[in-house]
């Protein structure tokens, strides 16, 4: 009885060992289901359905890239079935991708053909030399040496030799061309082989303990570099409305060594806290275009007289809103490792737009058409390249910096010379104010004459600059003309309406009062 019991125990042990060995020997291909791509790096999520045996089993997940961050590995089960992951380790794989295998086969085939052609060239070169030798023998009068192998009549011998030489040279030329073509193909194959960025693979070997045989789906997550994304935009300005359509698109690239086949892709504006672990993402908060951290601090504001006022504040009292940071791309996508990047639409939004015709008053004045587009969305539009369209017609490319909520973009939509501008200096004189102190007053007077040569009524903004004071001892005043004046930078502005064919005269007179022996004017 004891012997039978011992036999049963040994049999069970052998069977258990066989099962474990079988599970350990078989590799399981997991499938990538989801990818979250950051500006630099990505989190890969793989799944595999596994039949787990009772007891301790070793499961090998093959085909994982060797460059993944090993410390970031997370292994979970979709269902809590009583199985438990004990530990894991990585085993290097020696595997070549299909492209490398194809190149090796084509290279071997080309090299074999080259050797064959080289051998044929050698044979036909020897035959050509033989016929050339016969030809020389006949010409030197010693053709009798060859009378046993060719016709004894000299004319027939010469014809045969000529024909033989011609045929051999034709064959040599054909083989030489083939050899040249094959060598060129071989060089291309070698260049293609050198361009392959071979990223080695590895097997994830996992020891699992289960109380009973179960079927479960295991999920493997890890962080990997050599992947990323960046945004770009199509901006279509709709001139017949007060809106512009902004298409937000993503360019995704990856050279991870693994192909993303039919996967869900999410792009994220967050930065991983560390590449050593699955990223803990740091939130970004904005308030009127500025980044803040909770706490206290100071800020400086510049007043008109250039004095700095320092004011204390508490950030937690500000109206802070969180930014949406993840964008799940619609549908599923396939992106092979190292292939051209994937471009996909993330979103589209309508932005408020206003238009303005403006003339910068100078010698070459012309009407500039401008569009001001306000970010009326609730999130920041990230920096990137813009393809600019006007009523679906491509106008050019622009660069966009981060555009926060309520910030505006300005685009130039071209110009025309339908309004002529004449600038005339009427007067420029300096008055000595010595009776009232050590000061002088310079008075400058211009006249701007504008004429609408077009057929339509126009509303035009005008801009120019006059000197501005660098010291409180200098005083600049507008004496004549309805101009808005900014004393901090000397900018003057006005707005007019012009009917077709009408000429408008605008006076502009200002004064500069300053100490006679000093110069504070810029």
């Amino acid at each position: 009885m004891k012997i039978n019991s011992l036999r049963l125990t040994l049999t069970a042990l052998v069977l258990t060992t066989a099962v474990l060995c079988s599970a350990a020997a078989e590799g399981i291909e997991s499938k990538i289901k989801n990818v979250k791509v950051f500006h630099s790096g990505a989190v890969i999520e793989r799944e595999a359905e596994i039949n787990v045996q009772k007891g301790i089993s070793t499961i090998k997940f093959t085909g994982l890239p060797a460059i993944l961050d090993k410390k970031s590995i997370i292994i979970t089960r979709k269902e809590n079935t009583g199985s438990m992951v004990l530990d894991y380790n990585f085993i290097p794989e020696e595997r070549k991708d299909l492209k490398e295998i194809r190149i090796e086969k084509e290279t071997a085939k080309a090299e074999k053909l080259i050797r064959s052609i080289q051998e044929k060239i050698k044979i036909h070169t020897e035959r050509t030399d033989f016929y050339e030798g016969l030809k020389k023998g006949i010409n030197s009068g010693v053709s009798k040496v060859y009378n046993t192998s060719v016709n004894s009549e000299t004319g027939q011998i010469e014809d045969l030799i000529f024909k033989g030489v011609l045929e051999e040279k034709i064959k040599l030329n054909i083989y030489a061309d083939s050899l040249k073509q094959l060598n060129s193909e071989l060089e291309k194959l070698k260049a293609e082989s050198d361009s392959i960025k071979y990223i080695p693979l590895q097997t994830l070997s996992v020891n699992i303990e289960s109380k009973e045989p179960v079927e479960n789906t295991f999920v493997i997550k890890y962080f990997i570099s050599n992947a990323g994304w960046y945004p770009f935009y199509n901006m279509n300005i709709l001139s017949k409305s007060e809106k512009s359509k902004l298409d937000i698109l993503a360019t995704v690239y990856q050279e991870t060594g693994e192909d993303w086949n039919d996967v869900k892709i999410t792009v994220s504006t967050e930065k991983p806290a560390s590449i050593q672990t699955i990223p803990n993402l740091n939130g970004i908060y904005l308030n009127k275009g500025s980044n803040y951290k909770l706490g206290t601090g100071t800020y400086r504001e510049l007043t008109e007289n250039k004095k700095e006022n320092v004011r204390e504040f508490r950030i937690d009292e500000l109206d802070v809103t969180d930014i949406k940071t993840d964008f799940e791309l619609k549908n599923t996508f396939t992106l092979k490792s190292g292939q051209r990047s994937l471009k996909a639409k993330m979103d589209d939004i309508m932005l408020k737009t206003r238009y303005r015709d403006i003339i910068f008053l100078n010698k070459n004045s012309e009407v500039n058409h401008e569009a001001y587009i306000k970010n009326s969305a609730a999130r920041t539009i990230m920096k990137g390249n813009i393809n600019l369209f006007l009523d679906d017609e491509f106008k050019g490319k622009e660069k966009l910096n981060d555009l926060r909520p309520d910030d505006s973009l300005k685009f130039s939509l071209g110009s025309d010379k339908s309004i002529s501008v004449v600038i005339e200096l009427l007067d420029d004189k300096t008055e000595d104010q010595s009776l009232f102190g050590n000061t002088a007053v310079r008075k400058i007077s211009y006249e701007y004459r504008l004429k609408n040569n077009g057929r339509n009524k126009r509303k035009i903004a005008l801009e120019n600059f006059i000197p501005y004071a660098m010291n409180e001892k200098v005083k600049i005043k507008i004496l004549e003309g309805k101009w808005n004046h900014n004393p901090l930078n000397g900018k003057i502005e006005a707005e007019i309406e012009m009917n077709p064919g009408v000429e408008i005269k605008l006076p502009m007179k200002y004064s500069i009062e300053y100490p006679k022996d000093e110069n504070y004017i810029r």
Side-chain angles (χ1 to χ4, degrees):
M1 189 69 178
K2 290 182 178 180
I3 294 174
N4 290 335
S5 177
L6 180 60
R7 286 177 178 174
L8 289 173
T9 303
L10 289 172
T11 302
L13 181 61
V14 170
L15 289 174
T16 303
T17 304
V19 169
L20 288 173
C21 291
S22 175
E26 292 180 3
I28 295 175
E29 290 281 353
S30 55
K31 185 177 180 181
I32 298 176
K33 290 289 188 179
N34 299 291
V35 177
K36 187 172 185 178
V37 187
F38 304 97
H39 287 308
S40 180
V43 171
I44 310 297
E45 183 178 311
R46 289 174 170 266
E47 290 185 6
E49 292 186 2
I50 303 172
N51 292 317
V52 181
Q53 303 297 325
K54 182 180 179 180
I56 298 176
S57 304
T58 300
I59 309 298
K60 292 184 177 181
F61 299 95
T62 59
L64 274 64
I67 64 171
L68 66 82
D69 184 357
K70 295 180 180 179
K71 294 181 180 179
S72 70
I73 283 284
I74 294 177
I75 306 168
T76 58
R77 301 152 295 166
K78 276 198 169 181
E79 297 178 6
N80 189 8
T81 55
S83 57
M84 180 175 63
V85 175
L86 299 177
D87 56 24
Y88 64 86
N89 66 296
F90 290 92
I91 304 170
E93 289 183 20
E94 291 186 4
R95 185 191 296 189
K96 298 177 181 178
D97 62 19
L98 295 177
K99 183 178 181 181
E100 191 173 6
I101 293 171
R102 174 185 63 79
I103 291 174
E104 286 184 353
K105 287 182 178 179
E106 291 181 3
T107 300
K109 183 179 178 181
E111 289 175 342
K112 184 178 179 181
L113 285 172
I114 286 173
R115 288 193 297 270
S116 174
I117 290 175
Q118 287 174 337
E119 187 64 30
K120 290 179 179 178
I121 288 175
K122 181 180 178 182
I123 293 171
H124 289 287
T125 300
E126 291 175 352
R127 289 181 181 178
T128 302
D129 292 341
F130 172 75
Y131 284 119
E132 291 287 357
L134 287 177
K135 185 177 179 181
K136 288 181 181 179
I138 291 175
N139 292 336
S140 61
V142 294
S143 59
K144 294 179 181 180
V145 177
Y146 305 103
N147 281 344
T148 57
S149 57
V150 296
N151 197 300
S152 59
E153 296 184 8
T154 303
Q156 292 179 344
I157 293 174
E158 289 179 345
D159 290 343
L160 287 172
I161 292 173
F162 178 78
K163 184 178 179 181
V165 170
L166 184 62
E167 289 178 352
E168 295 304 321
K169 286 187 175 181
I170 290 173
K171 291 178 181 178
L172 281 174
N173 288 334
I174 292 173
Y175 288 131
D177 290 341
S178 299
L179 184 62
K180 183 178 179 181
Q181 184 177 353
L182 282 169
N183 279 323
S184 176
E185 291 179 4
L186 187 61
E187 289 299 321
K188 290 180 181 178
L189 287 169
K190 288 181 178 179
E192 190 177 2
S193 178
D194 293 339
S195 68
I196 293 177
K197 295 181 179 179
Y198 178 65
I199 301 178
L201 302 176
Q202 60 186 343
T203 294
L204 174 62
S205 180
V206 183
N207 292 322
I208 300 172
E209 184 178 18
S210 181
K211 295 179 181 179
E212 57 184 0
V214 292
E215 182 178 341
N216 205 339
T217 299
F218 279 75
V219 179
I220 305 169
K221 284 186 179 181
Y222 52 85
F223 181 83
I224 193 167
S225 55
N226 291 15
W229 78 281
Y230 55 88
F232 71 101
Y233 307 92
N234 290 331
M235 174 78 80
N236 189 15
I237 299 173
L238 308 173
S239 63
K240 295 182 180 179
S241 71
E242 294 183 351
K243 291 185 178 180
S244 295
K245 183 183 179 184
L246 181 68
D247 290 331
I248 306 174
L249 304 107
T251 298
V252 183
Y253 62 91
Q254 66 106 344
E255 294 182 358
T256 61
E258 56 186 354
D259 294 336
W260 301 350
N261 295 315
D262 195 28
V263 301
K264 289 293 294 181
I265 296 178
T266 299
V267 295
S268 177
T269 62
E270 297 285 10
K271 293 182 179 180
S274 169
I275 63 169
Q276 300 300 322
T277 58
I278 289 290
N280 294 318
L281 302 181
N282 301 320
I284 301 175
Y285 298 91
L286 292 183
N287 180 62
K288 295 184 179 179
S290 300
N291 290 335
Y292 297 107
K293 295 179 180 178
L294 293 180
T296 60
T298 61
Y299 73 89
R300 299 177 184 274
E301 59 181 12
L302 197 64
T303 60
E304 288 189 6
N305 59 7
K306 305 295 181 179
K307 293 181 179 179
E308 289 183 337
N309 290 340
V310 180
R311 175 185 161 194
E312 294 186 355
F313 64 90
R314 282 192 58 82
I315 294 298
D316 51 8
E317 296 173 354
L318 297 177
D319 180 18
V320 179
T321 55
D322 196 2
I323 299 176
K324 181 179 179 181
T325 56
D326 291 347
F327 300 88
E328 185 176 310
L329 304 185
K330 296 178 180 179
N331 305 319
T332 58
F333 295 91
T334 294
L335 182 59
K336 304 292 184 182
S337 178
Q339 79 170 47
R340 295 188 65 180
S341 56
L342 163 73
K343 299 183 185 300
K345 185 174 179 178
M346 296 164 57
D347 199 1
D348 60 71
I349 52 178
M350 301 300 292
L351 302 177
K352 293 180 180 179
T353 305
R354 65 181 179 89
Y355 305 94
R356 185 172 79 151
D357 288 344
I358 183 170
I359 296 177
F360 301 99
L361 296 167
N362 53 49
K363 292 181 180 179
N364 300 314
S365 297
E366 56 185 22
V367 182
N368 294 281
H369 311 296
E370 296 178 342
Y372 292 80
I373 300 171
K374 183 179 180 180
N375 181 8
S376 47
R379 63 174 182 264
T380 296
I381 300 172
M382 295 168 290
K383 66 179 180 181
N385 293 326
I386 295 182
N387 295 318
L388 186 62
F389 297 83
L390 177 61
D391 296 325
D392 298 319
E393 181 182 349
F394 179 71
K395 288 296 183 180
K397 294 181 179 291
E398 298 284 347
K399 287 188 178 294
L400 169 71
N401 292 320
D402 287 342
L403 189 68
R404 297 177 173 87
D406 294 330
D407 285 353
S408 293
L409 284 171
K410 182 179 78 172
F411 291 109
S412 175
L413 304 179
S415 61
D416 67 67
K417 296 185 178 181
S418 60
I419 295 180
S420 59
V421 179
V422 176
I423 303 173
E424 183 179 355
L425 176 63
L426 301 179
D427 196 13
D428 185 355
K429 62 182 180 181
T430 301
E431 299 176 355
D432 191 345
Q433 303 288 326
S434 299
L435 294 176
F436 306 99
N438 186 30
T439 59
V441 177
R442 181 183 176 188
K443 295 181 179 179
I444 304 170
S445 178
Y446 285 94
E447 183 179 74
Y448 299 109
R449 295 193 295 274
L450 297 91
K451 183 177 181 180
N452 184 357
N453 300 309
R455 298 179 179 179
N456 300 315
K457 184 178 180 179
R458 304 291 293 273
K459 186 176 182 180
I460 306 293
L462 305 174
E463 282 190 8
N464 203 355
F465 288 88
I466 62 174
Y468 63 93
M470 298 295 291
N471 188 284
E472 59 185 10
K473 295 180 181 180
V474 178
K475 297 178 181 179
I476 299 175
K477 297 179 181 179
I478 301 294
L479 302 178
E480 187 178 355
K482 296 180 179 180
W483 298 88
N484 295 320
H485 177 222
N486 186 343
L488 295 179
N489 59 14
K491 187 177 183 179
I492 58 172
E493 297 176 288
E495 196 169 90
I496 59 173
E497 290 187 357
M498 301 185 68
N499 290 316
V502 172
E503 183 180 71
I504 294 179
K505 296 180 180 181
L506 298 175
M508 172 59 199
K509 186 176 182 180
Y510 63 93
S511 65
I512 307 171
E513 183 179 337
Y514 61 95
K516 288 192 299 183
D517 55 349
E518 298 182 45
N519 183 14
Y520 291 98
I521 302 173
R522 182 174 177 179

